[in-house]
Amino acid sequence: MATSRTLRFSLASCAIALCAQFAFANAAHADQLADIKKKGEMVFGVLGTDEPNSFIDPKTRELVGYEIDLAKAVAKKIGVKPVFKQLSVAARIPELQQGHVDVLAATLTHNKERESQVDFALTHFVTGSKVMVRAASGITALPQLAGKKVVTVRGGTQETNIRAAVPTANIVTFENTQQAFQALQQGKGIAYVNDESSLLADYGKLGPAAKNFTILPTSIGVESIALGLRKGEKNLKGVVDATLRELEASGAANGLFNKWYGPGTRPNMAKRTFTISTDKI
């Protein structure tokens, strides 16, 4: 009888333990969208150094840019305050996974390797990686970068792309694109790799000095840029994607492209060659 009571007690204890574990698991996987609504704010991880996606306006000292406007639209759709936290390129995904930010609006390229780490919203920009070189170098094609010092940002797809395109190039990385671009200007590298759209913005900053630099015509990768979300947060992804679809349908998305990338801006891109319509690559 004592053994029977002991067995029943053990089974009851196991059941309680399993229930506790189940409750803990449910709490750990609580709906993020509901949490965001409850706290009344949505924290976006941004770069803040990548014009025109997210950068600090020198006049107002406020964060502005294409992705900042998209983030504000998402927060407005949910009915919460947008909060922005600046991150380095390498820290983007860890900061999201650790719960320090709710969504990444940080020029995040959607690729197959990252799909195991984060979920992606609809692609909101498509560009390619290109290389800017010092005109005096005489470099006109990618193979000529073999053995040469090439600068880029640490932890981005640009580094992967240039290593694949020119395996013997001497790659030097920096914390952000501003530092890498400055290194090129200071002669610390012969070439600089960035997304084409941002590279055009960098080129536009040079003014009269632009004659000293050339952007090589060959693209070394297609970059589908999207907002990054934690894995499995279907409700949050649903409202983010719905916001982006509404911006596309209303024409507001094209307006934002022209505001930050279109004719007369530093990137000075003639027209948009994509629509916001898919999260597939």
Side-chain angles (χ1 to χ4, degrees), residues 14 48 71 78 82 86 105 113 127 137 143 156 158 163 170 216 219 222 225 227 230 234 246 263 267 269 278:
C14 288
I78 297 173
Q86 282 190 255
E113 291 76 16
T127 184
S137 69
Q158 300 92 336
R163 289 189 187 280
N170 178 14
L216 300 183
S219 179
V222 176
I225 309 299
L227 301 179
R230 288 178 221 158
K234 294 182 179 180
E246 289 171 8
M269 299 175 75
T278 182

Side-chain angles (χ1 to χ4, degrees), residues 57-247:
D57 186 309
K59 294 181 180 179
T60 65
R61 305 307 301 168
E62 293 181 354
L63 279 165
V64 296
Y66 179 68
E67 289 188 319
I68 298 297
D69 284 350
L70 294 179
K72 288 179 177 178
V74 170
K76 182 178 180 180
K77 174 78 171 178
I78 297 173
V80 296
K81 175 185 176 183
V83 175
F84 300 103
K85 179 179 180 180
Q86 282 190 255
L87 308 173
S88 69
V89 170
R92 292 174 299 181
I93 290 176
E95 287 281 310
L96 178 69
Q97 292 174 323
Q98 293 165 19
H100 299 156
V101 297
D102 295 314
V103 172
L104 292 176
T107 322
L108 186 69
T109 297
H110 179 174
N111 58 33
K112 291 298 182 181
E113 291 76 16
R114 287 174 175 164
E115 285 183 350
S116 64
Q117 301 173 295
V118 300
D119 285 340
F120 291 90
L122 303 178
T123 296
H124 61 253
F125 199 88
V126 178
T127 184
S129 289
K130 283 195 173 182
V131 181
M132 182 188 294
V133 298
R134 302 182 67 83
S137 69
I139 291 173
T140 58
L142 289 173
Q144 293 173 281
L145 294 174
K148 302 293 195 304
K149 185 175 289 186
V150 179
V151 300
T152 191
V153 66
R154 184 179 302 117
T157 53
Q158 300 92 336
E159 180 182 355
T160 303
N161 290 341
I162 190 62
R163 289 189 187 280
V166 191
T168 59
N170 178 14
I171 312 299
V172 180
T173 61
F174 293 83
E175 190 72 14
N176 58 57
T177 55
Q178 286 182 345
Q179 292 174 358
F181 184 43
Q182 186 177 50
L184 175 73
Q185 293 172 279
Q186 294 172 344
K188 295 178 180 178
I190 205 167
Y192 161 54
V193 184
N194 200 358
D195 293 342
E196 181 181 10
S197 52
S198 297
L199 202 64
L200 290 170
D202 293 335
Y203 189 77
K205 297 174 187 176
L206 290 168
K211 66 180 184 296
N212 299 321
F213 300 89
T214 302
I215 298 176
L216 300 183
T218 304
S219 179
I220 58 173
V222 176
E223 309 291 329
S224 298
I225 309 299
L227 301 179
L229 305 101
R230 288 178 221 158
K231 295 291 293 182
E233 294 294 344
K234 294 182 179 180
N235 290 336
L236 181 58
K237 176 173 164 53
V239 74
V240 170
D241 286 351
T243 304
L244 295 172
R245 287 193 178 96
E246 289 171 8
L247 291 174

